[in-house]
Amino acid sequence: MPFDSTGKISFDHIYTAPDPRPFFGTLRRVGYEIPQLAKPYFAKLIGEHPAERPTVLDVGCSYGVNAALRRCDATMDDLYAHYTDPDVRPLSHARLLEADRTRVTGEGGAKFYGLDASAPALEYALSAGFLDEAIHADLEHDDPDSTQRKLLDDVDLVISTGCVGYVTEKTITRIARGSRPWMAHFVLRMFSYEPVADSLAGLGYETAQVPGVFRQRRFASAEEQTQILDTLDAAGFDPAGLESDGWLYAQLYVSRPEGAAAELAATLATSQQEG
């Protein structure tokens, strides 16, 4: 597979298939697990939010993975097993959708919107019932149109598990301008969240980091690892005991209006210790 501009292996091809089978089949081989590690943090944030039934926007949602984990009461291992099952692989698109709709066990205590540049991924997640609404947009380059803005103005909590670094403060601030939602982003250590935090500060946000690091996936090759170690070194990050051992790692940042992010990060840290 080719490398992208960041030095990582490019997985672009798995996000444009009509259904998630190539996505899960490929990412299973590299142990992609960040949505599973993020799941309890997102659940805590949904529970902490004052809205009775918060509307959650997943930025870079692909096939609605974060929503599916919650709505199907599933783990990443469950989804990997399902989409790579020899009995599932030959199913038609329609039969797979039918099977996936039966996996949705509830609403998960929140409404889920997805934002992504991949129309096929969004269409599948919406048809399967993982998402309530889909926003097909590139907010790096364009302001949301009136329909998209209306949906964004409904959002109470913004989440992501790996898109920051590919999307920048341009996307995040365009989302935030309306309803001033809470935000929780898992960001690879090779990327800085500072430009996002600085831009959000201009909208009245405070940002805090939750202690700890979170494994995203294994390196796909020795060449990829070498390139990322060089990137981390140039950015002043020590990879010893982390990326040097063969895994990409992320950090969790929360951003919240009205100067309450530190309190929210402390609550999540306490939850982590209790878990």
Side-chain angles (χ1 to χ4, degrees), residues 159-190:
I159 63 172
S160 70
T161 50
C163 71
V164 173
Y166 299 97
V167 305
T168 69
E169 66 276 7
K170 296 176 184 177
T171 290
I172 303 303
T173 53
R174 280 176 167 141
I175 293 169
R177 286 193 185 112
S179 60
R180 300 296 197 274
W182 294 8
M183 298 203 177
H185 298 288
F186 285 83
V187 182
L188 286 175
R189 286 185 353 118
M190 62 185 286

Side-chain angles (χ1 to χ4, degrees), residues 6 32 36 63 175 219 231 255:
T6 72
Y32 179 71
Q36 181 64 43
Y63 296 90
I175 293 169
F219 288 107
T231 299
S255 297

Side-chain angles (χ1 to χ4, degrees), residues 7-267:
K8 290 174 59 190
I9 290 287
S10 174
F11 291 103
D12 287 352
H13 63 290
I14 67 174
Y15 294 98
T16 56
D19 65 64
R21 284 173 287 195
F23 175 92
F24 284 101
T26 299
L27 291 183
R28 184 184 200 180
R29 295 196 291 271
V30 291
Y32 179 71
E33 65 178 25
I34 192 72
Q36 181 64 43
L37 299 179
K39 182 180 178 181
Y41 290 90
F42 295 157
K44 181 70 172 176
L45 287 163
I46 289 169
E48 289 288 326
H49 199 281
E52 183 175 347
R53 188 184 174 207
T55 296
V56 180
L57 175 68
D58 187 0
V59 182
C61 68
S62 65
Y63 296 90
V65 176
N66 289 310
L69 287 174
R70 188 171 176 91
R71 289 198 158 167
C72 300
D73 191 22
T75 65
M76 285 297 286
D77 284 343
D78 293 334
L79 296 183
Y80 284 134
H82 169 59
Y83 288 110
T84 61
D85 188 316
D87 293 330
V88 170
R89 285 203 299 267
L91 291 180
S92 68
H93 183 81
R95 290 291 302 276
L96 181 64
L97 264 179
E98 181 183 350
D100 279 356
R101 288 190 191 108
T102 67
R103 294 175 64 85
V104 177
T105 59
E107 296 176 341
K111 290 181 286 186
F112 284 92
Y113 293 2
L115 170 66
D116 206 275
S118 171
L122 285 172
E123 182 179 349
Y124 191 90
L126 194 60
S127 298
F130 302 153
L131 297 176
D132 297 293
E133 297 284 354
I135 303 173
H136 180 223
D138 179 0
L139 299 185
E140 283 295 290
H141 299 97
D142 303 305
D143 285 322
D145 62 28
S146 58
T147 300
Q148 294 163 349
R149 184 74 267 168
K150 191 172 184 295
L151 291 172
L152 293 174
D153 287 348
D154 289 338
V155 171
D156 300 300
L157 171 64
V158 178
I159 63 172
S160 70
T161 50
C163 71
V164 173
Y166 299 97
V167 305
T168 69
E169 66 276 7
K170 296 176 184 177
T171 290
I172 303 303
T173 53
R174 280 176 167 141
I175 293 169
R177 286 193 185 112
S179 60
R180 300 296 197 274
W182 294 8
M183 298 203 177
H185 298 288
F186 285 83
V187 182
L188 286 175
R189 286 185 353 118
M190 62 185 286
F191 298 125
S192 172
Y193 190 69
E194 188 173 348
V196 177
D198 289 345
S199 293
L200 288 175
L203 298 175
Y205 277 78
E206 177 185 278
T207 292
Q209 181 185 340
V210 177
V213 292
F214 305 85
R215 292 200 305 190
Q216 190 207 50
R217 65 167 172 85
R218 291 189 297 272
F219 288 107
S221 67
E223 184 181 359
E224 182 187 39
Q225 183 177 12
T226 297
Q227 292 186 161
I228 300 306
L229 292 180
D230 288 344
T231 299
L232 288 165
D233 182 64
F237 287 101
D238 182 5
L242 296 172
E243 291 86 1
S244 63
D245 290 345
W247 287 78
L248 285 156
Y249 279 85
Q251 296 170 310
L252 173 57
Y253 296 90
V254 292
S255 297
R256 182 176 169 183
E258 310 303 329
E263 177 184 347
L264 189 58
T267 298

